[in-house]
Amino acid sequence: MIILARWATVVALAGTAGFAMAQSFVVSPELWDRPRTGRAVLEQPAIREAVKAHLGRQGSHLVVHHDPTQEALLLAEELRAWLVALALDPARVMLQNDLKLHELLRIEIRENGR
């Protein structure tokens, strides 16, 4: 009985810690292979899941990570524009140039803008 109670506590704490940790979603390069619409953007599983998780966490921010190339910056800016066009608060969608060369765009959900 004591072991079960301790296990339940460990599982509960792990779940709480997991919720507090930032989530990250890699944006598929296939998004950029075709004309984009709001529907096409949200059909991307990573983007859909990131937006869903973001909307479920009051006060969270989305950070679009990109590599240092001009092309990656343009893609990140376009993705941010689509997210804002799809009714996300522009103040809660940020860009960050911190990926290595040619790494895929990544969306991270940060709690309270951290």
Side-chain angles (χ1 to χ4, degrees), residues 27-43:
V27 177
S28 172
E30 73 182 32
L31 173 63
W32 314 109
D33 292 342
R34 61 183 68 108
R36 282 158 302 285
T37 62
R39 183 179 190 164
V41 169
L42 284 179
E43 284 177 351

Side-chain angles (χ1 to χ4, degrees), residues 5-98:
R6 286 185 182 165
W7 178 251
T9 302
V10 169
V11 170
L13 289 174
T16 303
F19 183 78
M21 292 172 37
Q23 281 184 283
S24 183
F25 304 86
V26 175
V27 177
S28 172
E30 73 182 32
L31 173 63
W32 314 109
D33 292 342
R34 61 183 68 108
R36 282 158 302 285
T37 62
R39 183 179 190 164
V41 169
L42 284 179
E43 284 177 351
Q44 294 295 311
I47 297 171
R48 183 177 56 249
E49 290 302 314
V51 169
K52 181 179 170 183
H54 168 64
L55 293 175
R57 296 181 183 171
Q58 189 173 16
S60 68
H61 286 69
L62 287 180
V63 180
V64 179
H65 297 270
H66 62 89
D67 78 20
T69 65
Q70 182 70 24
E71 179 183 4
L73 173 60
L74 292 173
L75 294 177
E77 288 175 340
E78 181 181 342
L79 179 56
R80 182 183 185 280
W82 276 112
L83 294 170
V84 170
L86 291 167
L88 294 183
D89 179 357
R92 294 175 58 193
V93 182
M94 300 170 277
L95 303 181
Q96 190 165 338
N97 172 4
D98 63 349

